């Protein structure tokens, strides 16, 4: 029978062979962590290669995602649909095995990792979701949610500030089923980390409220097993296992140095490694007895079958809860969602209230929340400003684990990446609030939500100079345009309660990506609409106010500037002016050509866009013959009304722009 070291060596040789064949990659971490991975995956990890989406599987996150061949080797050896040819195709175009783990490319990859620190933060989200979901659905003798989240991480993850945000919160919330294993190999790209990373990492995590297992030899399987058992025995705190490893373990001339971190070993060193490891097999060759020991399919199918028995008993005892659990895990909305959502939009239009769109967002949550228990909200210490708390909210804590609202503290980046982990786990639609200007702090997690096509909803308030006296540090100028250019990010900037309700409906309905809601601090007047216009809000852009006959000019506006556009039209009563409200450009651009042409007829060249944001984005709509009323500088500190006057974002400025682009 193969020894544990033989089984770990299978990871080492597959990793070094794949990196060598690709002539690109990171062999050091997979070779260094192979012994730890063998123990975790074979002795502890609850998973089923035949059903990678089994709801109660343990989640495994490779936060140090540059070591992707470690994960790909584990998936292949365990029996997932990831072939030897897939490993040979490492880092090639359209491969299931890209350079960093990418969610959706290969079965068993739980999240996209690569930007260091986000993987461990996603893992906090997974563990948070498990804790809340379990508290909401488990009943005495019927624990249908009972799994762990395991994460591997390295020095780079710990140096990134997001790891502080997330791990601090994980300790506070007592996420006892989160086990992180720190690959303490002392090496990063620039060399020995002692020159730039001398933190007392165990002390740091103990200060967070984690259980810490210190000084584990990462190449001693029994020591690793004992450490994991200890971590699993502590149920009221997350655990960090500090495992000392040798990077590139098994490559006799390069192990322990930065040369094995991010470059192929080379043919000579690979030959030396094979000899050193006693691996007498060719490239990508794994003996049958090692495959047999690694194969997790029978064990996984048995584990899932046992869970299915638990689920059957739960279904018999609590049929309504079981149906609700299955709906939420499947990511399906309630059957009558469309009808209820339409009613909320129509009610908002009938009410004709003048409120800030951040307040309109709260109204939306109070409308959707009662029939959407999957909503898991929060804010980065701005709940009262973001209006993310609705009447049915309860605050999650170790003593209230089944609540539906998270106080993330001043942790915008951590919040966004935790939300992505929650979304990936399943069972929830996470939303979280901060000021729009601070989306910069969270931007890479917003980008990751878009890459992974996750339904995370970012509530971004105080959306322009309209927030007033806080000044340019808090007044977003470039932020809405910059969010719009993130592929697969849907961005809504509504102009009143009705558009805000429609924006929430769109965000909740969308199951293939995130949504950013840019919302005002200041009150906005409601707009009159016909039933057809109300329906057309869902198309992202529509004719809010038309004219008799062909328009002489079109004014395009979003958010708080829609009223400015309407005021400008009133001042241009001697001309045929069409006003287009464009709350979501990306949704509008997904409409068919005929609809887009009906809203913005191509022969009307006199166009003016008005938005209290950077002007450059709008050239795609107004062209060289049009004009843009907006911002090209940072803001100032003053009351909102003065700022709109000072920066000349006014009805008179729009009138002048229209007149300027009309032919003589």
């Amino acid at each position: 029978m193969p020894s544990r070291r033989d089984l770990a060596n299978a990871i080492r040789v597959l990793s070094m062979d794949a990196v060598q064949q690709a002539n690109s990659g990171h062999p050091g971490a997979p070779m260094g962590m192979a012994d730890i991975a063998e123990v975790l995956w074979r002795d502890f990890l609850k998973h089923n290669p035949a059903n990678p989406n089994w709801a109660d599987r343990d989640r495994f996150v490779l936060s140090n995602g540059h070591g992707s061949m470690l994960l790909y080797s584990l998936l292949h050896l365990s029996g997932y649909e990831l072939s030897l040819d897939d490993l040979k195709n490492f880092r090639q175009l359209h491969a299931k095995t890209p350079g960093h783990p990418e969610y959706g490319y290969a079965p068993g990859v739980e999240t996209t990792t690569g930007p260091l620190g986000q993987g461990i933060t996603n893992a906090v989200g997974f563990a948070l979701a498990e804790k809340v979901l379990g508290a909401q659905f488990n009943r005495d003798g019927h624990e249908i949610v009972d799994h762990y989240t395991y994460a591997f991480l390295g020095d780079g993850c710990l140096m990134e500030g997001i790891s502080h945000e997330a791990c601090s919160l994980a300790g506070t919330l007592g996420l006892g089923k989160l086990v992180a294993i720190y690959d303490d190999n002392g090496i990063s790209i620039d060399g020995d980390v002692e020159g730039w990373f001398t933190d007392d990492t165990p002390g740091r995590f103990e200060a967070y409220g984690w259980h810490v297992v210190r000084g584990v030899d990462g190449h001693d399987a029994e020591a690793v097993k004992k450490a994991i058992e200890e971590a699993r025995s502590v149920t009221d705190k997350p655990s960090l296992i500090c495992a000392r490893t040798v990077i590139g373990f098994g490559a006799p001339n390069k192990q322990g140095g930065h040369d094995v971190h991010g470059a192929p070993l080379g043919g000579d060193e690979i030959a030396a490694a094979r000899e050193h490891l006693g691996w007498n097999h060719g490239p990508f060759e794994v003996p049958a007895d090692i495959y047999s020991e690694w194969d997790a399919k029978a064990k996984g199918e048995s584990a899932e079958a046992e869970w299915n028995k638990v689920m059957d008993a739960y279904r018999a005892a609590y049929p309504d809860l079981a149906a609700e659990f299955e709906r939420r895990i499947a990511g399906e909305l309630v059957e009558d969602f469309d009808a209820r959502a339409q009613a909320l939009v129509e009610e908002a239009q009938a009410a004709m209230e003048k409120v800030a769109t951040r307040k309109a967002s709260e109204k939306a949550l109070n409308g959707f929340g009662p029939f959407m228990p999957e909503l898991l909200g929060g804010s980065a210490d701005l709940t009262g400003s973001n209006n993310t708390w609705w009447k049915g909210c309860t605050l999650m804590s170790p003593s209230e684990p089944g609540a539906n609202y998270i106080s993330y503290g001043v942790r915008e980046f951590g919040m966004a990446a935790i939300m992505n982990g929650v979304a990936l786990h399943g069972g929830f639609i996470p939303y979280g609030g901060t000021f729009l200007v601070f989306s910069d702090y969270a931007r890479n997690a917003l980008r990751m939500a878009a890459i992974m096509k996750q339904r995370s909803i970012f509530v971004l308030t105080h959306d322009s100079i309209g927030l007033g006296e806080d000044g340019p540090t808090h007044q977003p100028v470039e932020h809405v345009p910059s969010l719009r250019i993130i592929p697969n990010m849907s961005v809504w900037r509504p102009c009143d309660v009705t558009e805000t309700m429609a924006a929430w409906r769109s965000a909740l309905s969308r199951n293939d990506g995130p949504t950013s809601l840019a919302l005002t601090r200041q009150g906005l007047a409601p707009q009159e609409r016909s039933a057809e216009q109300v329906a057309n809000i869902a198309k992202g852009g529509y004719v809010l106010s038309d004219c008799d006959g062909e328009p002489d000019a079109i004014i395009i506006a979003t958010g708080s500037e829609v009223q400015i556009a309407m005021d400008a039209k009133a001042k241009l009563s001697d001309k045929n002016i069409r006003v287009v409200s464009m709350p979501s450009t990306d949704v509008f651009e997904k409409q068919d050509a005929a609809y887009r042409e009906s809203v913005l007829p191509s022969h009307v060249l006199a166009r003016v866009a008005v938005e209290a944001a950077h002007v450059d984005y709008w050239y795609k709509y107004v062209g060289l013959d049009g004009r843009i009323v907006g911002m090209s500088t940072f803001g100032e500190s003053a009351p909102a009304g003065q700022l709109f006057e000072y920066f000349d974002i006014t009805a008179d400025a729009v009138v002048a722009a229209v007149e300027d682009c009309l032919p003589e």
Side-chain angles (χ1 to χ4, degrees):
M1 177 181 291
S3 67
R4 281 193 178 275
R5 180 55 53 80
D6 291 332
L7 296 170
N9 286 344
I11 298 170
R12 293 187 169 100
V13 295
L14 287 173
S15 297
M16 68 185 187
D17 287 347
V19 171
Q20 186 67 29
Q21 176 147 314
N23 196 30
S24 174
H26 300 73
M31 297 177 75
M33 296 197 78
D35 295 306
I36 300 170
E38 183 273 326
V39 174
L40 175 64
W41 276 62
R42 293 187 63 253
D43 289 11
F44 295 99
L45 195 71
K46 181 177 70 172
H47 64 123
N48 182 6
N51 182 13
N53 296 319
W54 168 30
D56 202 43
R57 69 192 182 279
D58 290 340
R59 271 60 167 183
F60 174 77
V61 177
L62 185 70
S63 189
N64 44 345
H66 53 274
S68 56
M69 270 309 305
L70 173 65
L71 178 54
Y72 299 147
S73 298
L74 288 163
L75 294 171
H76 168 71
L77 291 166
S78 297
Y80 286 79
E81 288 294 323
L82 197 68
S83 70
L84 206 56
D85 284 340
D86 290 323
L87 301 195
K88 293 177 181 178
N89 207 27
F90 178 54
R91 286 187 167 231
Q92 304 309 299
L93 184 64
H94 302 315
K96 288 184 178 181
T97 50
H100 292 81
E102 300 279 357
Y103 177 77
Y105 282 61
V109 176
E110 299 283 4
T111 182
T112 298
T113 56
L116 293 176
Q118 287 200 62
I120 180 61
T121 308
N122 293 162
V124 171
F126 281 123
L128 174 63
E130 192 277 342
K131 189 177 184 75
V132 177
L133 197 68
Q136 291 180 356
F137 283 97
N138 289 344
R139 297 294 183 267
D140 288 344
H142 299 274
E143 292 197 347
I144 60 170
V145 181
D146 183 17
H147 53 266
Y148 283 83
T149 300
Y150 298 99
F152 285 178
L153 69 158
D155 294 306
C157 294
L158 293 172
M159 284 186 258
E160 290 286 0
I162 190 175
S163 68
H164 164 68
E165 296 184 25
C167 295
S168 169
L169 184 62
T172 298
L173 296 180
L175 303 182
K177 288 186 178 176
L178 172 61
V179 177
I181 303 178
Y182 166 34
D183 179 28
D184 183 12
N185 62 39
I187 296 293
S188 66
I189 291 174
D190 281 355
D192 193 324
V193 300
E194 286 188 1
W196 47 86
F197 184 60
T198 57
D199 295 11
D200 176 6
T201 297
R204 168 186 163 186
F205 276 75
E206 286 170 347
Y208 290 154
W210 286 52
H211 173 72
V212 177
V213 186
R214 295 171 177 250
V216 177
D217 181 350
H219 301 297
D220 181 338
E222 289 307 310
V224 172
K225 182 176 180 179
K226 182 179 178 182
I228 297 174
E229 287 172 342
E230 179 182 334
R232 285 167 54 98
S233 72
V234 177
T235 59
D236 62 340
K237 299 178 180 180
S239 291
L240 178 72
I241 297 170
C242 298
R244 188 72 183 181
T245 67
V246 176
I247 191 170
F249 183 93
N253 303 305
K254 293 187 176 183
Q255 66 180 22
H258 73 277
D259 287 344
V260 299
H261 183 282
L265 296 180
D268 291 343
E269 186 66 7
I270 285 179
R274 276 185 155 75
E275 182 177 353
H276 183 72
L277 296 170
W279 191 268
N280 301 312
H281 312 285
F284 295 102
E285 184 180 339
V286 177
D289 59 343
I290 288 181
Y291 270 127
S292 178
E293 286 297 313
W294 265 108
D295 192 341
K297 285 181 285 190
K299 183 179 178 182
E301 289 172 359
S302 176
E304 185 174 356
E306 287 301 311
W307 180 80
N308 284 334
K309 292 178 183 177
V310 174
M311 191 66 203
D312 287 342
Y314 183 84
R315 197 177 288 110
Y318 305 100
D320 292 341
L321 273 177
E324 178 68 2
F325 175 79
E326 290 169 336
R327 177 188 73 80
R328 285 174 53 175
I329 287 296
E332 298 172 352
L333 300 177
V334 293
E335 286 186 6
D336 58 351
F337 175 85
D338 286 336
R340 290 191 178 196
Q342 182 61 26
L344 289 171
V345 174
E346 291 172 358
E347 288 168 12
Q349 181 62 39
M352 292 292 285
E353 293 180 90
K354 179 180 180 179
V355 297
T357 52
R358 62 171 177 159
K359 184 66 176 177
S361 175
E362 180 186 333
K363 290 179 178 293
L365 286 167
N366 275 305
F368 287 104
F371 64 89
M372 296 195 69
E374 59 264 50
L375 287 175
L376 185 62
S379 173
D381 203 48
L382 290 167
T383 293
S385 295
N386 298 148
N387 294 98
T388 42
W389 183 280
W390 59 280
K391 292 176 182 177
C393 282
T394 53
L395 184 62
M396 191 267 179
S397 68
S399 61
E400 292 290 341
N404 63 356
Y405 194 87
I406 314 297
S407 283
Y408 286 99
V410 188
R411 301 181 177 100
E412 296 89 355
F413 192 6
M415 174 184 71
I418 289 170
M419 286 167 55
N420 291 342
V422 169
L424 286 159
H425 178 279
F428 296 101
I429 299 175
Y431 70 90
T434 187
F435 288 168
L436 174 59
V437 77
F438 299 138
S439 65
D440 276 349
Y441 282 146
R443 185 178 179 86
N444 203 267
L446 272 64
R447 182 175 186 267
M448 299 303 289
I451 288 175
M452 294 189 287
K453 302 179 180 178
Q454 292 305 298
R455 184 163 39 187
S456 296
I457 302 174
F458 304 104
V459 180
L460 306 172
T461 69
H462 297 59
D463 70 343
S464 73
I465 56 172
L467 70 90
E469 292 85 347
D470 276 344
T473 61
H474 282 54
Q475 292 167 3
V477 173
E478 73 277 24
H479 296 74
V480 168
S482 72
L483 290 173
R484 287 181 180 134
I485 63 173
I486 298 177
N488 199 43
M489 172 64 74
S490 189
V491 180
W492 284 78
R493 187 168 183 253
C495 77
D496 63 3
V497 180
T498 308
E499 285 191 359
T500 305
M501 197 71 72
W504 267 103
R505 176 184 185 175
S506 175
L508 294 167
S509 300
R510 188 177 188 218
N511 61 8
D512 61 354
T515 301
S516 291
L517 305 175
L519 307 170
T520 67
R521 176 180 183 265
Q522 72 274 29
L524 302 184
Q527 300 298 323
E528 296 278 359
R529 296 178 184 87
S530 67
E532 181 181 6
Q533 288 171 318
V534 170
N536 283 340
I537 296 172
K539 297 179 180 178
Y542 63 101
V543 178
L544 176 63
S545 180
D546 213 351
C547 53
D548 294 329
E550 285 292 311
D552 297 320
I554 300 173
I555 304 173
I556 310 167
T558 78
S560 51
E561 291 70 67
V562 168
Q563 185 59 53
I564 292 174
M566 294 294 286
D567 292 343
K569 174 175 177 170
K571 289 174 178 284
L572 291 162
S573 58
D574 60 329
K575 297 178 175 65
N576 280 355
I577 303 297
R578 171 179 290 184
V579 175
V580 170
S581 180
M582 187 78 75
S584 179
T585 58
D586 59 278
V587 173
F588 177 72
E589 288 165 11
K590 290 177 181 176
Q591 305 308 309
D592 60 53
Y595 178 76
R596 285 183 278 118
E597 178 68 15
S598 73
V599 175
L600 297 175
S602 53
H603 63 273
V604 180
L605 301 180
R607 299 183 183 186
V608 174
V610 53
E611 183 175 59
H614 199 282
V615 297
D616 280 1
Y617 180 83
W618 288 101
Y619 285 106
K620 66 189 291 186
Y621 287 103
V622 303
L624 297 178
D625 295 308
R627 303 290 184 273
I628 305 168
V629 176
M631 299 289 293
S632 57
T633 68
F634 294 112
E636 293 285 350
S637 180
Q642 293 180 24
L643 291 171
F644 278 93
E645 290 288 339
Y646 177 77
F647 289 106
D648 207 17
I649 303 176
T650 63
D652 287 342
V654 175
V655 168
V658 170
E659 291 175 339
D660 189 46
C661 68
L662 285 171
E664 295 290 339

